């Protein structure tokens, strides 16, 4: 499911912006976003931050997708 592009909050740092863009492009599973355990921890922290801000949501099967604008 593709979600229309929204304005990205200015206060997001570059790593969160990149993670949000990846989720918006349809790469919503941890295995698609991280290549190893260290990177997985950082990605999970970023996903949690984006979810807390209401920019993404967790769906069935643990995938993430962009929230509706």
């Amino acid at each position: 499911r593709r979600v229309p592009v929204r304005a990205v909050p200015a206060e997001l740092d570059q790593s969160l912006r990149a993670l949000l863009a990846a989720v918006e492009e349809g790469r919503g599973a941890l295995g698609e976003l991280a290549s190893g355990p260290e990177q997985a921890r950082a990605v999970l922290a970023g996903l949690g931050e984006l979810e807390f801000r209401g920019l993404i949501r967790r769906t069935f099967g643990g995938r993430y997708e962009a929230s509706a604008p």
Side-chain angles (χ1 to χ4, degrees):
R1 173 184 115 137
R2 304 228 53 182
V3 175
V5 177
R6 76 173 85 221
V8 176
E11 68 274 5
L12 278 185
D13 67 34
Q14 190 60 33
S15 64
L16 289 178
R17 286 175 183 265
L19 187 55
L20 178 59
V23 171
E24 287 176 337
E25 291 168 2
R27 292 179 284 156
L30 183 59
E32 297 170 326
L33 298 166
S35 59
E38 289 298 320
Q39 191 178 21
R41 280 191 278 281
V43 167
L44 284 171
L47 290 169
E49 177 69 22
L50 292 172
E51 188 174 21
F52 176 76
R53 292 172 179 251
L55 298 171
I56 64 171
R57 64 188 183 112
R58 191 170 183 187
T59 63
F60 181 76
R63 291 189 63 85
Y64 288 86
E65 64 180 30
S67 299

